[in-house]
Amino acid sequence: MSATTDRPSLRIVPFRAPTARLALKTVSTSRGPLDGAWWPHSRDLTHELSALADVLDPLSGRITRIAVNATYWPAVPSRIPVNGHVVRVGWFTTELDPHKIMLLSHTTGSWNLLVIPPETNAPAAARLMAAASDSASPPTTASALMAAEHALHGGSMTALDQDSEERWEDGDDTSSYRAASDRPCRLITANPGSPDKARSRVR
């Protein structure tokens, strides 16, 4: 007697990484200290960096190196896979703003992005992404934007470090941040790892 089974046949389901949450300044503008903002989904830097670089790689030419500040990341990989090649990752504790990441490429030179903590709520993240990618606002640093958001909205942020809070003293002008955070921003909406080209839309 032959045995039979009702088990369904196995099928392969393609894995799609979460969309990288990214806002960039237009390439035609003078970008200043920041080129935009990145809001990772978690503090798993190996996974998050691969997803981010997969999006920027076709936009800016091959990403060659990545520099991060290790302050808020529990583990920093030395290398990550990106679009079929390997990218080296370097970490710093004092030379790089703790709220910034830098990605180097052959064509654009570098992308300098504000890193919004994964735990940040959606309204605060939207304001920070708009401010960091606004080409009309005065040049500012990543930590200054974090401090301005905290000064204006306080409890709406999470995981803010004490250094950023202390740098924004009472009486500092937050009007430029308020104006920039209300403007539309260029959001990158492509899924990393998909064959589709990265595209953008205006919020």
Side-chain angles (χ1 to χ4, degrees):
M1 179 187 296
S2 60
T4 60
T5 176
D6 293 329
R7 292 178 182 174
S9 59
L10 296 177
R11 63 189 182 94
I12 299 175
V13 178
F15 171 77
R16 293 179 69 88
T19 301
R21 299 181 293 192
L22 180 66
L24 299 174
K25 291 181 178 177
T26 57
V27 294
S28 60
T29 61
S30 176
R31 298 184 306 196
L34 291 174
D35 302 309
W38 172 50
W39 183 22
H41 294 269
S42 72
R43 294 193 182 276
D44 179 354
L45 195 56
T46 300
H47 174 75
E48 297 291 345
L49 280 183
S50 291
L52 173 63
D54 277 349
V55 174
L56 287 178
D57 209 64
L59 290 177
S60 63
R62 174 175 286 203
I63 300 295
T64 56
R65 286 183 179 272
I66 300 175
V68 301
N69 186 304
T71 301
Y72 298 113
W73 301 102
V76 178
S78 59
R79 295 176 178 81
I80 60 165
V82 178
N83 287 334
H85 65 280
V86 175
V87 175
R88 292 180 179 274
V89 181
W91 60 270
F92 305 88
T93 54
T94 57
E95 298 89 345
L96 191 67
D97 188 315
H99 294 293
K100 189 173 85 169
I101 185 172
M102 182 169 63
L103 299 95
L104 304 177
S105 79
H106 285 307
T107 54
T108 60
S110 67
W111 291 100
N112 295 280
L113 303 176
L114 165 71
V115 180
I116 301 171
E119 302 84 3
T120 303
N121 63 53
R127 289 190 294 267
L128 285 162
M129 294 180 87
S133 61
D134 180 52
S135 301
S137 60
T140 189
T141 66
S143 285
L145 287 182
M146 297 291 289
E149 169 63 28
H150 183 68
L152 285 172
H153 301 283
S156 64
M157 292 288 293
T158 62
L160 268 175
D161 64 304
Q162 292 299 315
D163 289 341
S164 294
E165 185 176 350
E166 290 169 0
R167 287 174 193 164
W168 200 276
E169 299 175 354
D170 291 340
D172 283 339
D173 185 14
T174 58
S175 60
S176 61
Y177 174 79
R178 191 194 304 272
S181 64
D182 287 337
R183 296 189 185 108
C185 65
R186 180 179 174 234
L187 299 179
I188 304 302
T189 59
N191 272 334
S194 74
D196 300 329
K197 290 184 178 180
R199 60 192 184 277
S200 65
R201 66 180 177 87
V202 177
R203 178 179 65 83

